[in-house]
Amino acid sequence: MRIAVLGAGAIGGCLAALLDAAGHDLVVVARSSAPVLREHGIRLEGAFGSHHAHPEVVDALEEAPDAAILATKTIDSAAALAPSRAALADVPVLAVQNGLDAHGRAARILGHDRVAAGLGTWAANALEPGVVRVTAAGETVVGGPEGERFARLLGGAMGFVRRTASIEGAQWAKLCVNAVNAVPAAVGRSMQQVAAEPALLRVTAAAMREAALAAIASGVPIERVGAVDAQTVATLASSIEAAQAVPRRMAVVFGDVPNLGSTQQSIRKGQPTEVDDLAGAIVEASVRLGLRAPVNAGLVALVHEVERTGAFVSPERVAALAPLP
């Protein structure tokens, strides 16, 4: 199949390389990284194996592919899709993005509803263009319109792909998981280092607890994403002390290779982060549901400070958001 991948960071680069290895005809839509990708291709390393892909690289699509994958940050959806909108007018699209309504946003931009949503529980670093290292394997969950199509497509290129009946329930579960992103981004440490520091671990757990409380209050049945299911969300919601077991377990799964998280990777590359669609989404949902999320609100402010100043904040300032008892 002729597959277009929009965005060639950690997620898009990984999927492009895997689909190329599976024999598909790949075209990658990229902007700032395009010259490097044209010259050197995309090199995949780590938990999904090794492959060096040399896909076609374009600034925008001129002809319709058989299917497309949107793998930019959610804040870049409009900029990525607009130049290729005509070519994607009736093309099935999979939005592999964070947030509660990423595929809905893409559908509104494209003007059609043939847009599925994908969530990956695997972790990948891409600190330089064209080089992706998968630091922890995991499953990919697909759902929504065209979900069956993309479950088959990805299933032929990578292991552990599953279609879910409720992508909304899966998105809530993933939002709880993604609540681990902000603390490492604020202090400039890996997720493993944060989990090993009691004061920072407590803040991470408090942020995840706020996400879990909002998820439960939403009334949407939680769908399992990786190892995170309704029981995990209930554990996160029960107390900060109980919630700490979840990020601690995640750090073990990540292994020895430092995992920075997507938010910190954006900071280190000098790019805008999607903290507003992660921790910020928790704050917005909490307000809508009559709850409060002060820890996530504080983390949003600190991450934006790091973006603005280029300097990570002290662990003590982060720890003050949820002090040790």
Side-chain angles (χ1 to χ4, degrees), residues 116-138:
L119 302 167
T121 66
W122 35 280
N125 290 334
L127 295 179
E128 59 180 295
V131 180
V132 180
R133 180 169 181 80
V134 179
T135 58

Side-chain angles (χ1 to χ4, degrees), residues 6 11 17 25 109 123 152 236 282 305:
L6 290 80
I11 302 301
D25 179 19
I109 295 169
R152 290 196 304 268
L236 287 171
I282 297 168
E305 178 182 325

Side-chain angles (χ1 to χ4, degrees), residues 61-301:
L61 297 172
E62 296 184 358
E63 298 181 357
D66 296 313
I69 296 175
L70 175 63
T72 64
K73 293 192 287 287
T74 49
I75 58 174
D76 293 329
S77 294
L81 290 172
S84 300
R85 182 176 174 179
L88 296 173
D90 193 39
V91 172
V93 175
L94 174 68
V96 187
Q97 296 177 309
N98 292 315
L100 293 177
D101 188 36
H103 63 305
R105 182 184 304 185
R108 290 188 291 274
I109 295 169
L110 291 170
H112 67 75
D113 62 0
R114 301 187 69 187
V115 183
L119 302 167
T121 66
W122 35 280
N125 290 334
L127 295 179
E128 59 180 295
V131 180
V132 180
R133 180 169 181 80
V134 179
T135 58
E139 72 170 352
T140 303
V141 177
V142 179
E146 303 286 347
E148 183 60 36
R149 177 192 303 273
F150 284 104
R152 290 196 304 268
L153 175 64
L154 294 184
M158 60 194 302
F160 306 106
V161 177
R162 177 171 56 86
R163 186 184 180 192
T164 180
S166 173
I167 192 63
E168 292 79 10
Q171 287 170 331
W172 270 111
K174 184 66 186 299
L175 188 63
C176 292
V177 173
N178 280 334
V180 303
N181 260 278
V183 173
V187 298
R189 298 184 183 181
S190 70
M191 290 187 178
Q192 293 96 321
Q193 289 173 316
V194 166
E197 174 56 52
L200 297 179
L201 176 63
R202 181 174 174 81
V203 177
T204 302
M208 297 180 81
R209 181 171 183 264
E210 291 177 351
L213 289 170
I216 293 170
S218 75
V220 177
I222 301 299
E223 285 284 321
R224 181 178 63 84
V225 174
V228 177
D229 56 15
Q231 182 56 53
T232 307
V233 174
T235 298
L236 287 171
S238 61
S239 69
I240 294 177
E241 287 68 31
Q244 292 181 48
V246 178
R248 192 181 289 120
R249 184 167 64 244
M250 291 173 63
V252 173
V253 172
F254 289 145
D256 296 330
V257 179
N259 189 287
L260 305 182
S262 60
T263 304
Q264 185 177 172
Q265 289 186 58
S266 295
I267 288 172
R268 291 185 179 272
K269 290 187 286 188
Q271 300 173 347
T273 74
E274 55 183 356
V275 68
D276 291 327
D277 290 297
L278 297 176
I282 297 168
V283 176
E284 290 181 8
S286 297
V287 171
R288 187 172 64 250
L289 295 164
L291 303 173
R292 295 179 63 252
V295 174
N296 279 287
L299 288 170
V300 170

